[in-house]
Amino acid sequence: MCGIAGYIGHRQAYPIIINGLKRLEYRGYDSAGIVVNDGRQFGLKKTKGKVSDLEAKCKDLPSAHVGMGHTRWATHGVPSDRNSHPHLSNNEKIALIHNGIIENYDSIKKVLISKGFDFKSDTDTEVLVNLIQFFQDSENLNLTDAVRYALNETIGAYAIAVMDADDPQEIVVARLSSPLAIGIGDNEYFIASDASPFVEFTKEAVYLEDGEMATISLHGGVDIHKIKDNAKVSLVIQELKLNLEEIEKGGYDHFMLKEIHEQSQSILNTMRGRLLVDEGIIQMAGIWDFQEKFFNAKRIIIVSCGTSWHAALIGEYLIEDLARIPVEVEYSSEFRYRNPIIGEKDIVIAISQSGETADTLAALRLAKEKGAFIYGICNVVDSSIARLTDAGSYTHAGPEIGVASTKAFTAQLTILTLIALKLAKHKGTLSKERFNTLIAELETIPSKVEALIKNVEEPVKKIAENYAGVNNFLYLGRGLNYPIALEGALKLKEISYIHAEGYPAAEMKHGPIALIDENMPVVVIATKKGHYDKIVSNIQEIKSRKGKIIAIVTEGDVQVKEMADYVIEIPETSSYLVPILSVIPLQLLAYYIAILRGSNVDQPRNLAKSVTVE
Ligand code: F6R
């Protein structure tokens, strides 16, 4: 939710910031803005729309070596020029960009209005910049102190960057619950919501922790203090593992298509160093070091949102079936607000691609407070969730930039399979022979994914051509394929804006069957290892009501082929591994339908990649 990027150093600030904003656009694309300081005054441009719209407005921006920019996902105030960031204080001396929400903005605004301030936007952010001016004026403070005073009056979440028109030598940043990275170059500094804007300039970064702020200047470097009591914090520099190719499109039209195609490699990366088939072991320190906790756990609760929640549902099936440990899956947003019963014998696992999802982070904090052991499955290294948890496993899918999650999902399924198999082996709920057979099969998945994409992409395009014009879609699956039905429906609705529902196939007759007529396409995941006979009966029920069947079947299937309007074959594999394959044609179907409908698949309307607000 909102991306921020800034620069101070010896280079031209504008190109670095504008390219940085393009890389951060996945975080929000309702509006964009930039401010630079040429040593005499601010040059500010902002606009409703995308970073490319901003770029078109920046031709006459003055040359400067310090500046900062913002790409917005609207919370308070509609997307518009005037609600775009940066926001200026009333005296036009302070500029501020913000990712997050100031929850008590209304009461602060009333006080400021009573003191003569006026407001040009509907945002919570403009309140904060004026509060900083208020403290600067009334207490005669420098920028850093005024920012600290103001933040101590606010409730909410933020990553902010602030500049003073009278001091072109520094930028002040702060964070609470929204990420902020500082890239450290050779007498130059970069700030950003993640490291992607500065990866080609430096491999060294500092990640601010919650409740910290930093003054960044050419003469003083990076000076970090606690917001609450101004206590000095020492600098911990980390080495970035990110590289440039990973965050570029590499010849594909869209990041989403690139990321779908990357899945054989990303799954391999998830398994690398962990799946050692020749030695008959799965190596995962996060599980091994705490296996007693897992074996003695009263239950595992998995919290997550969206696509990660679908992965969690599959995790529940896998861990319960293989390791016989009770698992519950909850939406993070429900869990955190429903006063759940959690104790020291519970393990709470968070699954999150970004590692920044506000609800999942809050659910974990609650679980930690109540004494549970908390475990993270994140894709983004050093993300807030990864840093909060007691232990965890990174998915190593590489940066996922398309807003619709694809390769992160299959990496999450791979990690969950590894965890379930490892727990089952050591707990003794799976024989050595069966374990060895399953890990040998898991090792073949990357090549099966590669073959699958090659074989199905053209047939899926044909199906997309036939159904791009419809308004509704139904997705059905059973067992491990039920969460895949949910995921297929989510992918379609978020990027094509077609209404789509996923259901467990047997639930059809309890309501959704009323929707079936000759205009309703129904995607049925009918693989051989997923309650095949039952799903065949469900297909017959749909056929009798003239519904159109698009079936995902196992290679060589005969029975469903005779009934379905279209079939897409996936390679044969173990039932535990089917979801990693069966989701792929559904990702491609959503992608090609969305393309035919003219959607912006990488940046679908109203969405953002990293949901750092509730
Ligand atoms: C859907 C999608 C979202 C995310 C959800 C959770 O394609 O990407 O539903 O899965 O916002 O995000 P993370 O996994 O970052 O916590």
Side-chain angles (χ1 to χ4, degrees):
M1 312 259 109
C2 302
I4 65 182
Y7 176 78
I8 179 163
H10 46 84
R11 302 174 207 253
Q12 282 298 321
Y14 170 72
I16 294 172
I17 296 166
I18 210 84
N19 282 335
L21 290 181
K22 284 181 188 163
R23 289 187 196 152
L24 292 174
E25 215 169 7
Y26 71 88
R27 303 180 67 86
Y29 30 83
D30 289 331
S31 67
I34 188 167
V35 64
V36 295
N37 188 334
D38 65 359
R40 286 170 293 125
Q41 58 187 356
F42 282 153
L44 184 141
K45 301 283 176 189
K46 51 190 198 173
T47 184
K48 178 178 175 201
K50 301 205 183 275
V51 176
S52 53
D53 300 308
L54 174 67
E55 210 173 2
K57 276 192 165 181
C58 283
K59 304 275 181 273
D60 56 346
L61 204 65
S63 130
H65 301 283
V66 55
M68 60 189 193
H70 186 267
T71 177
R72 176 170 188 246
W73 186 84
T75 58
H76 294 59
V78 295
S80 65
D81 288 0
R82 69 188 183 88
N83 285 333
S84 309
H85 302 212
H87 288 283
L88 292 182
S89 55
N90 274 193
N91 65 5
E92 302 197 342
K93 291 286 185 194
I94 306 167
L96 187 144
I97 52 176
H98 171 213
N99 165 27
I101 290 180
I102 305 300
E103 285 170 13
N104 60 339
Y105 80 100
D106 201 33
S107 54
I108 299 175
K109 190 171 183 173
K110 285 190 181 115
V111 175
L112 289 173
I113 288 171
S114 75
K115 296 195 181 297
F117 281 82
D118 58 33
F119 290 87
K120 296 172 188 64
S121 77
D122 310 314
T123 65
D124 49 338
T125 305
E126 198 189 2
V127 172
L128 183 56
V129 72
N130 281 315
L131 187 62
I132 295 170
Q133 183 200 318
F134 169 75
F135 280 116
Q136 217 177 24
D137 292 349
S138 58
E139 309 273 335
N140 198 19
L141 300 174
N142 63 25
L143 183 65
T144 304
D145 289 339
V147 169
R148 196 178 62 255
Y149 273 53
L151 291 178
N152 276 312
E153 296 299 320
T154 59
I155 299 169
Y158 49 79
I160 56 163
V162 195
M163 283 169 49
D164 188 333
D166 291 334
D167 188 355
Q169 299 296 321
E170 70 174 28
I171 301 180
V172 176
V173 295
R175 110 157 237 181
L176 185 69
S177 299
S178 298
L180 202 132
I182 304 167
I184 315 244
D186 190 6
N187 208 25
E188 59 178 347
Y189 302 93
F190 306 81
I191 56 168
S193 302
D194 68 38
S196 62
F198 53 78
V199 65
E200 67 265 52
F201 300 108
T202 178
K203 290 282 179 218
E204 295 197 335
V206 171
Y207 290 90
L208 279 195
E209 294 290 342
D210 273 349
E212 289 178 358
M213 60 184 291
T215 306
I216 304 165
S217 66
L218 292 181
H219 49 85
V222 178
D223 187 24
I224 306 181
H225 288 259
K226 293 270 183 212
I227 296 168
K228 205 164 185 180
D229 55 10
N230 204 20
K232 175 108 178 140
V233 176
S234 44
L235 210 62
V236 180
I237 297 179
Q238 307 199 9
E239 199 191 325
L240 296 176
K241 301 273 187 298
L242 200 65
N243 64 54
L244 201 55
E245 300 88 78
E246 287 180 319
I247 53 172
E248 290 183 333
K249 279 193 204 146
Y252 287 92
D253 289 341
H254 297 96
F255 281 110
M256 181 177 177
L257 190 60
K258 175 183 177 234
E259 286 156 8
I260 291 173
H261 277 262
E262 275 173 353
Q263 287 178 108
S264 65
Q265 191 56 46
S266 51
I267 293 168
L268 197 63
N269 290 343
T270 307
M271 301 190 310
R272 195 184 306 284
R274 291 169 167 152
L275 184 66
L276 306 176
V277 175
D278 292 345
E279 292 154 55
I281 55 172
I282 290 172
Q283 205 163 264
M284 294 176 93
I287 297 294
W288 178 252
D289 294 349
F290 299 98
Q291 61 174 336
E292 287 308 316
K293 270 198 188 299
F294 278 93
F295 297 155
N296 297 323
K298 202 168 106 211
R299 63 187 171 156
I300 294 173
I301 303 164
I302 313 182
V303 291
S304 43
C305 305
T307 288
S308 297
W309 186 79
H310 299 153
L313 291 177
I314 292 173
E316 177 182 21
Y317 282 49
L318 293 172
I319 297 171
E320 288 206 341
D321 186 341
L322 289 163
R324 310 306 294 155
I325 302 172
V327 181
E328 287 168 26
V329 173
E330 295 231 24
Y331 285 115
S332 309
S333 53
E334 291 299 316
F335 179 81
R336 63 180 287 201
Y337 282 118
R338 70 169 181 78
N339 194 15
I341 301 168
I342 320 163
E344 286 173 10
K345 294 210 82 178
D346 290 322
I347 293 181
V348 176
I349 299 181
I351 304 181
S352 175
Q353 186 288 127
S354 61
E356 302 293 347
T357 300
D359 282 321
T360 306
L361 200 51
L364 268 190
R365 287 204 180 104
L366 176 72
K368 193 172 186 152
E369 259 167 48
K370 303 225 174 197
F373 176 73
I374 57 172
Y375 196 91
I377 297 178
C378 297
N379 191 39
V380 176
V381 175
D382 282 326
S383 53
S384 301
I385 291 175
R387 281 182 285 135
L388 181 72
T389 41
D390 296 312
S393 308
Y394 283 120
T395 45
H396 295 311
E400 189 180 67
I401 293 166
V403 163
S405 188
T406 53
K407 66 174 180 173
F409 178 68
T410 47
Q412 289 166 347
L413 298 187
T414 308
I415 277 287
L416 288 162
T417 309
L418 290 168
I419 291 176
L421 287 169
K422 184 166 179 67
L423 289 172
K425 181 186 177 193
H426 298 301
K427 195 166 173 240
T429 48
L430 192 66
S431 71
K432 196 168 169 213
E433 296 66 44
R434 186 101 181 89
F435 175 84
N436 285 340
T437 311
L438 285 171
I439 61 170
E441 182 56 27
L442 183 55
E443 198 181 35
T444 69
I445 289 295
S447 58
K448 287 186 175 170
V449 166
E450 197 175 339
L452 167 62
I453 295 177
K454 214 175 267 160
N455 293 339
V456 303
E457 197 157 8
E458 286 309 312
V460 167
K461 275 188 202 168
K462 296 256 148 42
I463 300 172
E465 280 162 19
N466 280 311
Y467 292 104
V470 304
N471 295 323
N472 295 291
F473 251 92
L474 212 53
Y475 286 72
L476 303 177
R478 297 181 81 119
L480 285 152
N481 278 327
Y482 155 54
I484 296 302
L486 297 179
E487 175 60 7
L490 177 64
K491 284 292 88 89
L492 186 71
K493 66 185 137 193
E494 69 182 329
I495 59 170
S496 74
Y497 320 138
I498 293 174
H499 170 242
E501 301 260 8
Y503 269 97
E507 276 296 301
M508 268 262 298
K509 49 191 163 302
H510 300 288
I513 200 161
L515 295 169
I516 308 277
D517 63 15
E518 66 278 14
N519 299 316
M520 176 65 94
V522 186
V523 177
V524 189
I525 309 152
T527 52
K528 270 271 153 45
K529 303 262 173 65
H531 312 275
Y532 185 73
D533 295 338
K534 305 267 179 224
I535 211 134
V536 167
S537 311
N538 297 136
I539 293 176
Q540 259 148 0
E541 289 157 14
I542 302 164
K543 266 315 296 171
S544 335
R545 283 145 187 102
K546 300 198 172 62
K548 299 283 176 281
I549 310 278
I550 301 161
I552 311 296
V553 299
T554 310
E555 251 161 27
D557 179 281
V558 181
Q559 215 178 339
V560 173
K561 240 180 217 167
E562 282 172 4
M563 294 185 281
D565 296 271
Y566 296 91
V567 290
I568 300 169
E569 291 191 339
I570 66 166
E572 172 95 48
T573 189
S574 150
S575 59
Y576 298 114
L577 307 177
V578 163
I580 306 180
L581 301 180
S582 57
V583 73
I584 288 174
L586 306 188
Q587 297 168 342
L588 286 165
L589 184 64
Y591 174 80
Y592 283 110
I593 288 180
I595 293 294
L596 289 165
R597 289 169 73 95
S599 312
N600 183 342
V601 290
D602 281 339
Q603 296 173 346
R605 71 183 179 205
N606 305 339
L607 292 174
K609 183 83 186 150
S610 184
V611 186
T612 54
V613 294
E614 284 187 42

